[in-house]
Amino acid sequence: MNVRLREGIRLFNEKKFFECHEVLEDFYQETEDLHKPFLEGLIQLAAAFRLFCDFGEVQGAVRMIYQALIRFENYQPAFLQIRVAELHQAAEAWAKAAEAPGAMPSVSSIPKIHVQRFNFFS
């Protein structure tokens, strides 16, 4: 896995969404076209959760999450060692919960990005 992608995932999982966005943008600029739509989705997720965490914006965050999910459709169940199907499901569940009348999701409910682990002794 690319070092910048790994760093972006670490920052995302630590809820440092602005920093994550910056690292992933840098990686995006230098990556091959095949990976760009997927990276756009990750960048949109980071931006969405930054909107929510730093500005309390729910509707805009939800819209951005749904846009990211569209970008993930062709990269499931996993891509670049990221468990995309799991991330897709968790982000969609968060967005649906956030849309519920009177709901105010917590920062602690924001999903994490999980990577595939390899088992060489199966």
Side-chain angles (χ1 to χ4, degrees):
M1 176 180 283
N2 178 282
V3 173
R4 287 175 293 176
L5 179 58
R6 184 175 300 137
E7 177 67 3
I9 292 168
R10 182 187 69 76
L11 291 166
F12 185 97
N13 289 344
E14 291 178 0
K15 297 177 178 43
K16 297 179 180 176
F17 300 113
F18 177 79
E19 295 86 350
C20 169
H21 182 280
E22 294 296 305
V23 168
L24 292 177
E25 274 286 337
D26 183 51
F27 179 46
Y28 175 88
Q29 297 302 323
E30 298 175 13
T31 195
E32 59 188 83
D33 287 344
L34 171 68
H35 299 0
K36 286 192 174 190
F38 177 73
L39 291 174
E40 289 167 359
L42 290 180
I43 291 165
Q44 282 180 310
L45 274 187
F49 288 122
R50 178 172 186 244
L51 270 177
F52 173 71
C53 291
D54 293 351
F55 305 104
E57 173 60 39
V58 176
Q59 289 181 336
V62 167
R63 276 194 302 275
M64 290 183 82
I65 289 168
Y66 285 130
Q67 290 172 352
L69 297 180
I70 291 168
R71 296 193 187 306
F72 291 157
E73 287 179 0
N74 295 325
Y75 298 96
Q76 296 190 38
F79 188 69
L80 297 177
Q81 294 179 260
I82 295 173
R83 295 178 356 207
V84 181
E86 183 179 316
L87 177 60
H88 186 284
Q89 183 179 19
E92 184 176 30
W94 190 94
K96 285 183 178 183
E99 288 180 308
M104 184 54 167
S106 68
V107 172
S108 65
S109 69
I110 293 173
K112 293 187 182 272
I113 298 173
H114 298 282
V115 296
Q116 292 179 314
R117 301 283 184 225
F118 295 99
N119 184 357
F120 296 105
F121 304 105
S122 33

